[in-house]
Amino acid sequence: MSDRKISILLVEDEENLQEALKLNLELENYEVTGVYDGVEALQAVQHEHFDLIILDVMLPELDGISVCENIRLQNNDIPILILSAKNSSADRVLGLKKGADDYLTKPFNLEELLLRVSKLVEKSQRLAVRKPLEQQYQFGKNSIDFKALECITKDGEKVALTKKEIMLLKLLIENKNEVVTREKILQAVWGYNVYPTTRTIDNFILSFRKYFEEDSRNPKYFHSVRGIGYKFTEY
């Protein structure tokens, strides 16, 4: 591991809060870059590497949800913590759907914020050292050959897979044990301008369960997380 400081982009238009958060984060030995609007935030992400983004929702120029969505469009996995005065479950779900990793409502406890930042930094460090998947991946009695576009199922049967199936499997397995949002799947597998219905992704998951699960009604590997996305689990 290098000795470089963890770098955080803080996007907050309220000057007093920006200064207070910056000070407290720097006291925790983080390196903090502060910006005050959404456009500045996107420019900063394009020109610098950050380990974490702390992002207010109500911003001038471009709101935080749009900033989050834009960052995810670039297939950027950087962890994002949203800060918002909106505390309804609908607002929270929207933030998570658009790609945020965590959502904290204002006013918040500083200790809680620092704890969440610490957890997201750990995630960022795991992403940085994550090895790319090998050409073949095995789990349980199953194996997937990403290059040949085929798999061996739980029953030992060889099945040809479509390119979309391979892309979705790869995305879920690369993020194993973590929920991948529906929005991220749409962007990474289908491309942003093509919007299949939730049913389409569900059908892919059902196919995976048929191929790989001993009991498709009680899946061990492929899970739907209601209202948010999907998860591949392997411990």
Side-chain angles (χ1 to χ4, degrees):
M1 292 287 290
S2 70
D3 292 330
R4 74 170 183 84
K5 282 189 177 184
I6 295 298
S7 176
I8 294 176
L9 176 63
L10 173 61
V11 192
E12 170 59 66
D13 67 320
E14 195 183 316
E15 199 168 336
N16 290 340
L17 183 56
Q18 159 100 245
E19 285 178 12
L21 288 176
K22 193 169 189 288
L23 177 65
N24 280 280
L25 289 164
E26 286 172 345
L27 286 171
E28 296 292 315
N29 208 31
Y30 298 122
E31 190 174 89
V32 183
T33 299
V35 299
Y36 291 89
D37 67 56
V39 173
E40 275 187 290
L42 289 179
Q43 288 170 346
V45 170
Q46 283 171 355
H47 294 108
E48 291 179 61
H49 166 81
F50 296 102
D51 298 288
L52 171 67
I53 299 174
I54 300 175
L55 181 61
D56 186 27
V57 168
M58 306 294 282
L59 292 169
E61 304 296 331
L62 192 67
D63 68 89
I65 298 295
S66 299
V67 171
C68 186
E69 195 170 19
N70 268 277
I71 289 167
R72 293 296 179 241
L73 271 176
Q74 300 159 24
N75 280 329
N76 193 328
D77 282 332
I78 179 170
I80 296 174
L81 168 61
I82 279 185
L83 303 180
S84 177
K86 298 178 176 181
N87 62 3
S88 77
S89 59
D91 290 312
R92 189 183 194 86
V93 167
L94 178 64
L96 295 171
K97 273 187 168 181
K98 294 299 181 183
D101 296 85
D102 204 351
Y103 190 104
L104 191 58
T105 54
K106 297 177 179 179
F108 50 79
N109 177 292
L110 180 63
E111 215 171 307
E112 183 182 359
L113 172 82
L114 294 174
L115 184 63
R116 291 185 188 220
V117 164
S118 175
K119 286 188 178 299
L120 289 174
V121 163
E122 283 174 24
K123 178 178 180 177
S124 184
Q125 291 174 321
R126 286 200 307 273
L127 287 172
V129 298
R130 188 169 70 192
K131 293 178 184 173
L133 285 177
E134 301 286 337
Q135 180 182 318
Q136 293 191 322
Y137 185 82
Q138 291 190 309
F139 58 103
K141 297 177 183 176
N142 311 291
S143 70
I144 300 165
D145 189 323
F146 294 108
K147 193 171 182 182
L149 272 67
E150 61 186 28
C151 68
I152 305 295
T153 70
K154 64 183 187 301
D155 302 318
E157 184 186 352
K158 185 182 281 189
V159 174
L161 298 169
T162 67
K163 193 172 180 186
K164 289 272 192 287
E165 284 179 318
I166 284 289
M167 289 168 76
L168 181 53
L169 282 167
K170 199 167 189 180
L171 181 65
L172 292 172
I173 292 168
E174 280 178 341
N175 293 276
K176 72 177 176 183
N177 303 327
E178 292 183 10
V179 178
V180 182
T181 65
R182 180 173 176 271
E183 298 286 325
K184 183 168 182 175
I185 290 170
L186 291 174
Q187 291 160 12
V189 178
W190 274 270
Y192 193 66
N193 294 322
V194 182
Y195 263 72
T197 63
T198 304
R199 176 69 60 201
T200 306
I201 306 175
D202 281 340
N203 287 339
F204 274 64
I205 299 296
L206 289 172
S207 293
F208 297 161
R209 287 175 182 166
K210 189 174 72 176
Y211 300 150
F212 305 124
E213 301 282 7
E214 295 289 347
D215 180 356
S216 59
R217 291 189 177 188
N218 295 291
K220 181 179 177 183
Y221 303 111
F222 293 93
H223 307 271
S224 300
V225 182
R226 188 175 177 84
I228 297 177
Y230 306 84
K231 178 167 70 168
F232 173 78
T233 304
E234 188 189 18
Y235 291 100

mmCIF file of all heavy atoms in Angstrom, residues 90-127:
data_model
loop_
_atom_site.group_PDB
_atom_site.id
_atom_site.type_symbol
_atom_site.label_atom_id
_atom_site.label_comp_id
_atom_site.label_asym_id
_atom_site.label_seq_id
_atom_site.Cartn_x
_atom_site.Cartn_y
_atom_site.Cartn_z
ATOM 1 N N ALA A 90 -38.685 7.753 -0.472
ATOM 2 C CA ALA A 90 -38.667 7.877 -1.932
ATOM 3 C C ALA A 90 -37.411 8.605 -2.399
ATOM 4 O O ALA A 90 -36.773 8.207 -3.379
ATOM 5 C CB ALA A 90 -39.915 8.613 -2.418
ATOM 6 N N ASP A 91 -37.026 9.673 -1.686
ATOM 7 C CA ASP A 91 -35.807 10.417 -2.037
ATOM 8 C C ASP A 91 -34.569 9.546 -1.835
ATOM 9 O O ASP A 91 -33.640 9.560 -2.645
ATOM 10 C CB ASP A 91 -35.683 11.683 -1.177
ATOM 11 C CG ASP A 91 -36.725 12.727 -1.555
ATOM 12 O OD1 ASP A 91 -36.880 12.992 -2.754
ATOM 13 O OD2 ASP A 91 -37.385 13.255 -0.643
ATOM 14 N N ARG A 92 -34.591 8.801 -0.763
ATOM 15 C CA ARG A 92 -33.463 7.917 -0.454
ATOM 16 C C ARG A 92 -33.290 6.849 -1.531
ATOM 17 O O ARG A 92 -32.191 6.613 -2.038
ATOM 18 C CB ARG A 92 -33.719 7.256 0.910
ATOM 19 C CG ARG A 92 -32.545 6.496 1.456
ATOM 20 C CD ARG A 92 -32.944 5.817 2.770
ATOM 21 N NE ARG A 92 -31.771 5.369 3.468
ATOM 22 C CZ ARG A 92 -31.062 6.108 4.291
ATOM 23 N NH1 ARG A 92 -31.408 7.353 4.528
ATOM 24 N NH2 ARG A 92 -29.994 5.615 4.889
ATOM 25 N N VAL A 93 -34.415 6.215 -1.893
ATOM 26 C CA VAL A 93 -34.378 5.173 -2.934
ATOM 27 C C VAL A 93 -33.917 5.753 -4.264
ATOM 28 O O VAL A 93 -33.124 5.141 -4.982
ATOM 29 C CB VAL A 93 -35.762 4.475 -3.067
ATOM 30 C CG1 VAL A 93 -35.828 3.637 -4.336
ATOM 31 C CG2 VAL A 93 -36.020 3.598 -1.851
ATOM 32 N N LEU A 94 -34.397 6.973 -4.589
ATOM 33 C CA LEU A 94 -33.984 7.618 -5.839
ATOM 34 C C LEU A 94 -32.461 7.822 -5.864
ATOM 35 O O LEU A 94 -31.802 7.513 -6.860
ATOM 36 C CB LEU A 94 -34.690 8.965 -6.015
ATOM 37 C CG LEU A 94 -34.295 9.761 -7.275
ATOM 38 C CD1 LEU A 94 -34.693 9.018 -8.541
ATOM 39 C CD2 LEU A 94 -34.923 11.162 -7.255
ATOM 40 N N GLY A 95 -31.916 8.318 -4.756
ATOM 41 C CA GLY A 95 -30.473 8.530 -4.673
ATOM 42 C C GLY A 95 -29.692 7.233 -4.873
ATOM 43 O O GLY A 95 -28.712 7.190 -5.616
ATOM 44 N N LEU A 96 -30.157 6.158 -4.227
ATOM 45 C CA LEU A 96 -29.479 4.863 -4.353
ATOM 46 C C LEU A 96 -29.642 4.298 -5.758
ATOM 47 O O LEU A 96 -28.710 3.713 -6.322
ATOM 48 C CB LEU A 96 -30.033 3.879 -3.308
ATOM 49 C CG LEU A 96 -29.751 4.259 -1.846
ATOM 50 C CD1 LEU A 96 -30.528 3.361 -0.899
ATOM 51 C CD2 LEU A 96 -28.260 4.192 -1.532
ATOM 52 N N LYS A 97 -30.821 4.493 -6.340
ATOM 53 C CA LYS A 97 -31.059 4.014 -7.708
ATOM 54 C C LYS A 97 -30.161 4.702 -8.721
ATOM 55 O O LYS A 97 -29.739 4.103 -9.702
ATOM 56 C CB LYS A 97 -32.520 4.255 -8.107
ATOM 57 C CG LYS A 97 -33.475 3.139 -7.718
ATOM 58 C CD LYS A 97 -34.844 3.410 -8.319
ATOM 59 C CE LYS A 97 -35.734 2.187 -8.206
ATOM 60 N NZ LYS A 97 -37.056 2.432 -8.803
ATOM 61 N N LYS A 98 -29.895 5.981 -8.480
ATOM 62 C CA LYS A 98 -29.075 6.740 -9.421
ATOM 63 C C LYS A 98 -27.581 6.503 -9.215
ATOM 64 O O LYS A 98 -26.759 7.107 -9.884
ATOM 65 C CB LYS A 98 -29.391 8.241 -9.306
ATOM 66 C CG LYS A 98 -30.809 8.612 -9.741
ATOM 67 C CD LYS A 98 -31.066 8.263 -11.199
ATOM 68 C CE LYS A 98 -32.467 8.667 -11.627
ATOM 69 N NZ LYS A 98 -32.769 8.269 -13.008
ATOM 70 N N GLY A 99 -27.251 5.629 -8.266
ATOM 71 C CA GLY A 99 -25.852 5.215 -8.151
ATOM 72 C C GLY A 99 -25.131 5.564 -6.869
ATOM 73 O O GLY A 99 -23.953 5.247 -6.714
ATOM 74 N N ALA A 100 -25.820 6.226 -5.921
ATOM 75 C CA ALA A 100 -25.149 6.540 -4.647
ATOM 76 C C ALA A 100 -24.919 5.255 -3.849
ATOM 77 O O ALA A 100 -25.696 4.306 -3.941
ATOM 78 C CB ALA A 100 -25.997 7.504 -3.834
ATOM 79 N N ASP A 101 -23.850 5.237 -3.070
ATOM 80 C CA ASP A 101 -23.559 4.081 -2.223
ATOM 81 C C ASP A 101 -24.172 4.233 -0.838
ATOM 82 O O ASP A 101 -24.435 3.248 -0.155
ATOM 83 C CB ASP A 101 -22.041 3.914 -2.071
ATOM 84 C CG ASP A 101 -21.388 3.610 -3.398
ATOM 85 O OD1 ASP A 101 -21.079 4.556 -4.146
ATOM 86 O OD2 ASP A 101 -21.214 2.427 -3.710
ATOM 87 N N ASP A 102 -24.386 5.479 -0.429
ATOM 88 C CA ASP A 102 -24.954 5.739 0.899
ATOM 89 C C ASP A 102 -25.675 7.080 0.856
ATOM 90 O O ASP A 102 -25.429 7.903 -0.033
ATOM 91 C CB ASP A 102 -23.846 5.744 1.956
ATOM 92 C CG ASP A 102 -24.373 5.432 3.351
ATOM 93 O OD1 ASP A 102 -25.604 5.377 3.531
ATOM 94 O OD2 ASP A 102 -23.536 5.249 4.263
ATOM 95 N N TYR A 103 -26.574 7.299 1.824
ATOM 96 C CA TYR A 103 -27.444 8.474 1.810
ATOM 97 C C TYR A 103 -27.646 8.916 3.246
ATOM 98 O O TYR A 103 -28.089 8.133 4.089
ATOM 99 C CB TYR A 103 -28.781 8.060 1.178
ATOM 100 C CG TYR A 103 -29.738 9.180 0.855
ATOM 101 C CD1 TYR A 103 -29.903 9.619 -0.464
ATOM 102 C CD2 TYR A 103 -30.527 9.775 1.840
ATOM 103 C CE1 TYR A 103 -30.815 10.623 -0.786
ATOM 104 C CE2 TYR A 103 -31.433 10.784 1.543
ATOM 105 C CZ TYR A 103 -31.569 11.197 0.213
ATOM 106 O OH TYR A 103 -32.470 12.193 -0.107
ATOM 107 N N LEU A 104 -27.263 10.141 3.542
ATOM 108 C CA LEU A 104 -27.352 10.655 4.913
ATOM 109 C C LEU A 104 -28.180 11.934 4.906
ATOM 110 O O LEU A 104 -27.931 12.837 4.106
ATOM 111 C CB LEU A 104 -25.945 10.933 5.437
ATOM 112 C CG LEU A 104 -25.759 11.233 6.923
ATOM 113 C CD1 LEU A 104 -26.273 10.092 7.791
ATOM 114 C CD2 LEU A 104 -24.287 11.486 7.226
ATOM 115 N N THR A 105 -29.189 11.993 5.771
ATOM 116 C CA THR A 105 -30.063 13.175 5.771
ATOM 117 C C THR A 105 -29.570 14.232 6.758
ATOM 118 O O THR A 105 -29.025 13.920 7.817
ATOM 119 C CB THR A 105 -31.519 12.795 6.128
ATOM 120 O OG1 THR A 105 -31.538 12.076 7.354
ATOM 121 C CG2 THR A 105 -32.133 11.926 5.040
ATOM 122 N N LYS A 106 -29.763 15.482 6.363
ATOM 123 C CA LYS A 106 -29.414 16.623 7.220
ATOM 124 C C LYS A 106 -30.583 16.921 8.155
ATOM 125 O O LYS A 106 -31.732 16.770 7.745
ATOM 126 C CB LYS A 106 -29.149 17.863 6.359
ATOM 127 C CG LYS A 106 -27.978 17.743 5.396
ATOM 128 C CD LYS A 106 -27.890 19.017 4.563
ATOM 129 C CE LYS A 106 -26.737 18.999 3.600
ATOM 130 N NZ LYS A 106 -26.674 20.221 2.784
ATOM 131 N N PRO A 107 -30.335 17.398 9.376
ATOM 132 C CA PRO A 107 -29.013 17.518 10.005
ATOM 133 C C PRO A 107 -28.504 16.145 10.422
ATOM 134 O O PRO A 107 -29.294 15.260 10.765
ATOM 135 C CB PRO A 107 -29.282 18.400 11.219
ATOM 136 C CG PRO A 107 -30.714 18.131 11.563
ATOM 137 C CD PRO A 107 -31.420 17.845 10.267
ATOM 138 N N PHE A 108 -27.206 15.951 10.379
ATOM 139 C CA PHE A 108 -26.641 14.645 10.710
ATOM 140 C C PHE A 108 -25.627 14.773 11.846
ATOM 141 O O PHE A 108 -25.114 15.855 12.137
ATOM 142 C CB PHE A 108 -25.980 14.006 9.482
ATOM 143 C CG PHE A 108 -25.031 14.921 8.761
ATOM 144 C CD1 PHE A 108 -23.752 15.146 9.244
ATOM 145 C CD2 PHE A 108 -25.436 15.574 7.603
ATOM 146 C CE1 PHE A 108 -22.885 15.998 8.584
ATOM 147 C CE2 PHE A 108 -24.577 16.434 6.938
ATOM 148 C CZ PHE A 108 -23.294 16.645 7.431
ATOM 149 N N ASN A 109 -25.352 13.651 12.465
ATOM 150 C CA ASN A 109 -24.347 13.571 13.523
ATOM 151 C C ASN A 109 -22.968 13.442 12.863
ATOM 152 O O ASN A 109 -22.767 12.578 12.013
ATOM 153 C CB ASN A 109 -24.678 12.335 14.382
ATOM 154 C CG ASN A 109 -23.670 12.111 15.474
ATOM 155 O OD1 ASN A 109 -22.518 11.780 15.205
ATOM 156 N ND2 ASN A 109 -24.087 12.267 16.717
ATOM 157 N N LEU A 110 -22.039 14.304 13.241
ATOM 158 C CA LEU A 110 -20.713 14.320 12.608
ATOM 159 C C LEU A 110 -20.004 12.975 12.754
ATOM 160 O O LEU A 110 -19.365 12.481 11.818
ATOM 161 C CB LEU A 110 -19.853 15.429 13.222
ATOM 162 C CG LEU A 110 -18.441 15.549 12.650
ATOM 163 C CD1 LEU A 110 -18.475 15.911 11.169
ATOM 164 C CD2 LEU A 110 -17.635 16.573 13.436
ATOM 165 N N GLU A 111 -20.143 12.369 13.921
ATOM 166 C CA GLU A 111 -19.501 11.073 14.160
ATOM 167 C C GLU A 111 -20.029 10.013 13.197
ATOM 168 O O GLU A 111 -19.277 9.186 12.679
ATOM 169 C CB GLU A 111 -19.755 10.645 15.613
ATOM 170 C CG GLU A 111 -18.585 9.886 16.221
ATOM 171 C CD GLU A 111 -18.774 9.680 17.711
ATOM 172 O OE1 GLU A 111 -19.017 10.671 18.439
ATOM 173 O OE2 GLU A 111 -18.702 8.519 18.124
ATOM 174 N N GLU A 112 -21.338 10.069 12.966
ATOM 175 C CA GLU A 112 -21.945 9.107 12.031
ATOM 176 C C GLU A 112 -21.419 9.342 10.614
ATOM 177 O O GLU A 112 -21.103 8.401 9.887
ATOM 178 C CB GLU A 112 -23.475 9.227 12.034
ATOM 179 C CG GLU A 112 -24.137 8.195 11.121
ATOM 180 C CD GLU A 112 -25.653 8.299 11.060
ATOM 181 O OE1 GLU A 112 -26.231 9.168 11.740
ATOM 182 O OE2 GLU A 112 -26.250 7.505 10.311
ATOM 183 N N LEU A 113 -21.328 10.603 10.217
ATOM 184 C CA LEU A 113 -20.786 10.926 8.890
ATOM 185 C C LEU A 113 -19.373 10.361 8.741
ATOM 186 O O LEU A 113 -19.055 9.709 7.741
ATOM 187 C CB LEU A 113 -20.756 12.436 8.671
ATOM 188 C CG LEU A 113 -20.027 12.868 7.386
ATOM 189 C CD1 LEU A 113 -20.943 12.753 6.178
ATOM 190 C CD2 LEU A 113 -19.472 14.269 7.488
ATOM 191 N N LEU A 114 -18.525 10.586 9.725
ATOM 192 C CA LEU A 114 -17.136 10.119 9.652
ATOM 193 C C LEU A 114 -17.060 8.592 9.605
ATOM 194 O O LEU A 114 -16.204 8.018 8.914
ATOM 195 C CB LEU A 114 -16.324 10.659 10.827
ATOM 196 C CG LEU A 114 -16.126 12.188 10.842
ATOM 197 C CD1 LEU A 114 -15.442 12.620 12.132
ATOM 198 C CD2 LEU A 114 -15.323 12.649 9.626
ATOM 199 N N LEU A 115 -17.975 7.934 10.306
ATOM 200 C CA LEU A 115 -18.021 6.471 10.285
ATOM 201 C C LEU A 115 -18.404 5.967 8.893
ATOM 202 O O LEU A 115 -17.792 5.041 8.358
ATOM 203 C CB LEU A 115 -19.025 5.966 11.331
ATOM 204 C CG LEU A 115 -19.123 4.452 11.499
ATOM 205 C CD1 LEU A 115 -17.805 3.878 11.991
ATOM 206 C CD2 LEU A 115 -20.253 4.095 12.464
ATOM 207 N N ARG A 116 -19.409 6.616 8.297
ATOM 208 C CA ARG A 116 -19.839 6.212 6.945
ATOM 209 C C ARG A 116 -18.744 6.489 5.917
ATOM 210 O O ARG A 116 -18.535 5.703 4.997
ATOM 211 C CB ARG A 116 -21.132 6.933 6.567
ATOM 212 C CG ARG A 116 -22.325 6.450 7.389
ATOM 213 C CD ARG A 116 -23.593 7.106 6.908
ATOM 214 N NE ARG A 116 -24.716 6.804 7.779
ATOM 215 C CZ ARG A 116 -25.941 6.533 7.345
ATOM 216 N NH1 ARG A 116 -26.195 6.542 6.061
ATOM 217 N NH2 ARG A 116 -26.903 6.282 8.189
ATOM 218 N N VAL A 117 -18.073 7.619 6.081
ATOM 219 C CA VAL A 117 -16.948 7.949 5.191
ATOM 220 C C VAL A 117 -15.878 6.863 5.292
ATOM 221 O O VAL A 117 -15.367 6.374 4.279
ATOM 222 C CB VAL A 117 -16.354 9.334 5.556
ATOM 223 C CG1 VAL A 117 -14.972 9.525 4.929
ATOM 224 C CG2 VAL A 117 -17.299 10.444 5.104
ATOM 225 N N SER A 118 -15.557 6.451 6.499
ATOM 226 C CA SER A 118 -14.536 5.422 6.723
ATOM 227 C C SER A 118 -14.904 4.115 6.020
ATOM 228 O O SER A 118 -14.068 3.479 5.380
ATOM 229 C CB SER A 118 -14.366 5.199 8.223
ATOM 230 O OG SER A 118 -13.486 4.137 8.465
ATOM 231 N N LYS A 119 -16.181 3.727 6.114
ATOM 232 C CA LYS A 119 -16.629 2.477 5.484
ATOM 233 C C LYS A 119 -16.556 2.570 3.961
ATOM 234 O O LYS A 119 -16.176 1.610 3.283
ATOM 235 C CB LYS A 119 -18.058 2.134 5.934
ATOM 236 C CG LYS A 119 -18.133 1.626 7.361
ATOM 237 C CD LYS A 119 -19.508 1.117 7.703
ATOM 238 C CE LYS A 119 -19.558 0.563 9.124
ATOM 239 N NZ LYS A 119 -18.649 -0.570 9.337
ATOM 240 N N LEU A 120 -16.928 3.724 3.415
ATOM 241 C CA LEU A 120 -16.878 3.898 1.961
ATOM 242 C C LEU A 120 -15.440 3.972 1.452
ATOM 243 O O LEU A 120 -15.144 3.514 0.345
ATOM 244 C CB LEU A 120 -17.670 5.137 1.540
ATOM 245 C CG LEU A 120 -19.192 5.000 1.676
ATOM 246 C CD1 LEU A 120 -19.874 6.327 1.385
ATOM 247 C CD2 LEU A 120 -19.737 3.917 0.762
ATOM 248 N N VAL A 121 -14.556 4.536 2.254
ATOM 249 C CA VAL A 121 -13.132 4.573 1.883
ATOM 250 C C VAL A 121 -12.589 3.145 1.806
ATOM 251 O O VAL A 121 -11.829 2.796 0.902
ATOM 252 C CB VAL A 121 -12.326 5.435 2.878
ATOM 253 C CG1 VAL A 121 -10.841 5.151 2.772
ATOM 254 C CG2 VAL A 121 -12.613 6.916 2.631
ATOM 255 N N GLU A 122 -13.001 2.301 2.762
ATOM 256 C CA GLU A 122 -12.592 0.888 2.728
ATOM 257 C C GLU A 122 -13.063 0.242 1.436
ATOM 258 O O GLU A 122 -12.330 -0.518 0.796
ATOM 259 C CB GLU A 122 -13.189 0.129 3.921
ATOM 260 C CG GLU A 122 -12.493 0.377 5.238
ATOM 261 C CD GLU A 122 -13.222 -0.285 6.391
ATOM 262 O OE1 GLU A 122 -13.962 -1.275 6.149
ATOM 263 O OE2 GLU A 122 -13.083 0.195 7.533
ATOM 264 N N LYS A 123 -14.302 0.559 1.029
ATOM 265 C CA LYS A 123 -14.839 0.014 -0.225
ATOM 266 C C LYS A 123 -14.003 0.493 -1.403
ATOM 267 O O LYS A 123 -13.686 -0.278 -2.309
ATOM 268 C CB LYS A 123 -16.299 0.441 -0.398
ATOM 269 C CG LYS A 123 -16.911 -0.055 -1.699
ATOM 270 C CD LYS A 123 -18.369 0.332 -1.841
ATOM 271 C CE LYS A 123 -18.920 -0.189 -3.158
ATOM 272 N NZ LYS A 123 -20.341 0.100 -3.325
ATOM 273 N N SER A 124 -13.643 1.772 -1.397
ATOM 274 C CA SER A 124 -12.839 2.346 -2.475
ATOM 275 C C SER A 124 -11.494 1.636 -2.579
ATOM 276 O O SER A 124 -11.006 1.343 -3.678
ATOM 277 C CB SER A 124 -12.624 3.843 -2.208
ATOM 278 O OG SER A 124 -11.928 4.437 -3.274
ATOM 279 N N GLN A 125 -10.908 1.326 -1.448
ATOM 280 C CA GLN A 125 -9.609 0.645 -1.450
ATOM 281 C C GLN A 125 -9.740 -0.795 -1.953
ATOM 282 O O GLN A 125 -8.849 -1.296 -2.639
ATOM 283 C CB GLN A 125 -9.001 0.687 -0.045
ATOM 284 C CG GLN A 125 -8.572 2.101 0.347
ATOM 285 C CD GLN A 125 -8.104 2.211 1.782
ATOM 286 O OE1 GLN A 125 -8.667 1.597 2.685
ATOM 287 N NE2 GLN A 125 -7.074 3.000 2.008
ATOM 288 N N ARG A 126 -10.874 -1.443 -1.646
ATOM 289 C CA ARG A 126 -11.107 -2.795 -2.181
ATOM 290 C C ARG A 126 -11.245 -2.750 -3.701
ATOM 291 O O ARG A 126 -10.726 -3.604 -4.411
ATOM 292 C CB ARG A 126 -12.380 -3.403 -1.573
ATOM 293 C CG ARG A 126 -12.249 -3.845 -0.131
ATOM 294 C CD ARG A 126 -13.331 -4.848 0.260
ATOM 295 N NE ARG A 126 -14.673 -4.396 -0.032
ATOM 296 C CZ ARG A 126 -15.407 -3.649 0.787
ATOM 297 N NH1 ARG A 126 -14.896 -3.257 1.952
ATOM 298 N NH2 ARG A 126 -16.633 -3.280 0.468
ATOM 299 N N LEU A 127 -11.954 -1.725 -4.203
ATOM 300 C CA LEU A 127 -12.126 -1.590 -5.651
ATOM 301 C C LEU A 127 -10.782 -1.379 -6.337
ATOM 302 O O LEU A 127 -10.544 -1.889 -7.434
ATOM 303 C CB LEU A 127 -13.049 -0.399 -5.966
ATOM 304 C CG LEU A 127 -14.535 -0.568 -5.672
ATOM 305 C CD1 LEU A 127 -15.266 0.750 -5.863
ATOM 306 C CD2 LEU A 127 -15.157 -1.626 -6.578
#
